Amino acid sequence: MKRRDFIKNSALASSFFLVPAFVKAMDLQLQLPQGFKRLVIIQLAGGNDGLNTIVPYRNDIYYRERPTIAIDRKDVLPMNDELGFHKNLAPLKKLFDAGELSVINNVGYPNPNRSHFRSTDIWHTASDSDKFLNHGWVGRYLDNYGSEPYNAIEIGNSLSLIMQGESKNGVVARDASMLHKITSDPYFEQVLQYNTDQHLSEHNMGYLYQTMIDAKQSASYIYEKSKVTRSNFDYGKSPFGKQMKTLAEFINSRLDTKVYYASLAGFDTHANQARKQDALLKDYAEGVSTLVADLKANNTFNDTLILTFSEFGRRVAQNAANGTDHGAANNVFVIGKQLKRPGLFNAAPDLTKLDKNGDLVHEIDFRSIYANIMEKWLEVRSEDLLGQAIGPVNIV
């Protein structure tokens, strides 16, 4: 072969190898606008004990009220001279030190409800504690601003209230392959063939069919879009770690999804709290910090905000079973690269001023955090989603 032909053929072959990566890169840039922002919501379900998470390790009242379950001073990871992280939150401490975590203390709402179900509904719907709403605030985001069901995705097995709107719902998926497999099942296809306009107009039957239709349409998009993006990060073997890995693969695939939701359950620690909470906080911190590292490696962290909440905190005093009972105000974590006030957002809980039930008094209404994220991150009118004007706090 002549040198000129060799160079010509080599160049042609090289270009073929480069084409897929080039097309993929172009595809990613064309599919989503520059600076496409996403919100990840994580619920620590069961009511996490905030006082043993962000520990007031210089406070004598804390140690007096919790003689057997308080976190020992030597085990705390100090944030300042007053507060410190639980020892299993070392990965979060690194984010805190890097200015990528904001810890907001004393978050709650007026007239707190200590029922798991009711308080979760209040956080999911963003309602007052005496109002009962059937639709979640992310569902209302879809109603007002969404174009496709996959604009909001829950990583799990069933769709939570937060994702349900009046006319549109988000999509629930444990992972893309499973969702694709379920919706490609012949029985699923057969059931869908029986939907009619009459069925769709019936309340319950219509809801079921519309949900199936949305799942079918979204499954193909999510599967095709994300199947070439596989994370090489080690998320461990826990279910929460797997959720975080799926989240990373969806985000790094540049899906047209504005809001993701996931949860870690088991925080209802009425008895023998220490060992249970230690394990759960370790699972949470390792999963979230690996997610952040994965997003950074794929240049998607800058436009991703991670909000972590629990439906309520625990009582200040421990109970007789070496656990804690349902309380009120709690801490909230916000992780991101564009935080206005990274670090400790506000002062530690005041253990000398409790409510009539002996619980922490809320200082920041959780809906003021939502309002800030809606206005400044999702760039929508918060009144459309909250149903009322609520002054935002300055987080992003």
Side-chain angles (χ1 to χ4, degrees):
M1 181 182 292
K2 295 180 179 178
R3 182 173 178 273
R4 185 176 60 186
D5 293 337
F6 174 79
I7 293 174
K8 180 181 177 182
N9 291 337
S10 298
L12 188 61
S14 299
S15 68
F16 277 131
F17 284 119
L18 291 173
V19 162
F22 172 75
V23 170
K24 181 182 176 185
M26 287 298 293
D27 178 61
L28 295 178
Q29 292 183 17
L30 290 172
Q31 293 300 317
L32 292 176
Q34 194 76 16
F36 180 87
K37 291 185 171 62
R38 315 163 188 83
L39 171 66
V40 175
I41 304 169
I42 299 173
Q43 180 176 358
L44 305 181
N48 178 42
D49 179 14
L51 284 176
N52 274 18
T53 302
I54 302 299
V55 184
Y57 68 99
R58 300 282 189 194
N59 194 307
D60 293 338
I61 298 174
Y62 167 74
Y63 287 100
R64 185 189 71 205
E65 296 295 333
R66 298 182 168 208
T68 64
I69 69 165
I71 306 297
D72 197 288
R73 286 188 178 92
K74 67 178 175 53
D75 292 329
V76 171
L77 307 174
M79 306 163 76
N80 59 17
D81 291 339
E82 190 176 8
L83 294 172
F85 285 100
H86 183 285
K87 61 181 180 182
N88 286 354
L89 295 180
L92 253 62
K93 174 74 161 48
K94 291 182 180 177
L95 298 176
F96 181 86
D97 292 340
E100 296 170 344
L101 167 64
S102 182
V103 177
I104 309 168
N105 292 307
N106 313 315
V107 181
Y109 52 88
N111 303 311
N113 191 299
R114 290 169 182 76
S115 158
H116 292 291
F117 300 107
R118 180 61 193 140
S119 194
T120 294
D121 284 357
I122 290 168
W123 275 82
H124 281 195
T125 62
S127 73
D128 294 334
S129 62
D130 60 349
K131 291 183 179 177
F132 293 79
L133 304 180
N134 296 321
H135 308 113
W137 76 262
V138 177
R140 292 195 290 277
Y141 171 81
L142 291 173
D143 286 340
N144 285 276
Y145 301 101
S147 58
E148 303 292 344
Y150 51 74
N151 293 154
I153 298 177
E154 176 168 355
I155 311 299
N157 295 314
S158 60
L159 197 66
S160 300
L161 177 59
I162 193 172
M163 308 292 282
Q164 299 175 26
E166 185 174 7
S167 60
K168 297 175 183 171
N169 293 330
V171 176
V172 60
R174 199 167 66 190
D175 60 59
S177 297
M178 182 63 70
L179 180 64
H180 182 67
K181 183 178 179 181
I182 292 172
T183 56
S184 300
D185 187 276
Y187 181 73
F188 192 97
E189 301 269 8
Q190 189 177 3
V191 172
L192 272 186
Q193 288 177 3
Y194 284 101
N195 86 76
T196 63
D197 290 342
Q198 183 180 355
H199 283 149
L200 289 173
S201 65
E202 296 174 10
H203 183 65
N204 292 331
M205 190 66 77
Y207 176 84
L208 175 62
Y209 272 118
Q210 191 58 55
T211 300
M212 293 178 70
I213 293 168
D214 290 345
K216 176 68 177 174
Q217 293 173 345
S218 298
S220 298
Y221 169 79
I222 295 170
Y223 178 73
E224 294 298 331
K225 186 80 176 172
S226 66
K227 67 181 181 182
V228 295
T229 304
R230 289 292 174 264
S231 173
N232 294 319
F233 282 74
D234 182 7
Y235 284 85
K237 297 180 179 179
S238 74
F240 183 71
K242 291 178 181 176
Q243 284 187 79
M244 294 299 99
K245 185 174 184 179
T246 298
L247 260 174
E249 291 177 347
F250 284 179
I251 292 171
N252 291 334
S253 299
R254 275 74 171 178
L255 294 183
D256 184 10
T257 301
K258 295 293 287 185
V259 185
Y260 295 92
Y261 174 83
S263 66
L264 174 60
F267 286 94
D268 195 17
T269 50
H270 289 284
N272 302 318
Q273 172 175 299
R275 190 170 61 180
K276 295 177 185 174
Q277 196 194 25
D278 287 358
L280 287 165
L281 291 180
K282 184 174 187 294
D283 198 10
Y284 165 73
E286 290 180 349
V288 168
S289 61
T290 305
L291 170 66
V292 169
D294 204 339
L295 300 185
K296 285 180 177 178
N298 287 276
N299 299 317
T300 50
F301 180 60
N302 193 54
D303 294 317
T304 303
L305 193 71
I306 304 171
L307 168 73
T308 301
F309 77 95
S310 197
E311 66 265 29
F312 48 60
R314 315 294 293 189
R315 305 289 296 274
V316 173
Q318 71 172 78
N319 61 27
N322 292 321
T324 51
D325 299 323
H326 301 180
N330 206 347
N331 35 54
V332 163
F333 298 153
V334 182
I335 297 170
K337 197 66 179 175
Q338 301 185 40
L339 302 175
K340 295 290 187 185
R341 291 171 61 181
L344 276 169
F345 187 83
N346 55 345
D350 186 347
L351 302 190
T352 67
K353 294 174 63 176
L354 305 179
D355 68 13
K356 61 182 179 181
N357 295 311
D359 293 334
L360 299 179
V361 178
H362 90 275
E363 172 193 352
I364 295 177
D365 192 311
F366 72 97
R367 292 166 298 185
S368 65
I369 299 174
Y370 285 176
N372 172 251
I373 292 173
M374 291 166 183
E375 297 276 354
K376 300 299 183 181
W377 193 257
L378 298 177
E379 298 177 318
V380 299
R381 276 169 40 90
S382 60
E383 287 184 53
D384 292 342
L385 309 188
L386 296 175
Q388 58 183 311
I390 292 181
V393 291
N394 193 29
I395 299 171
V396 290

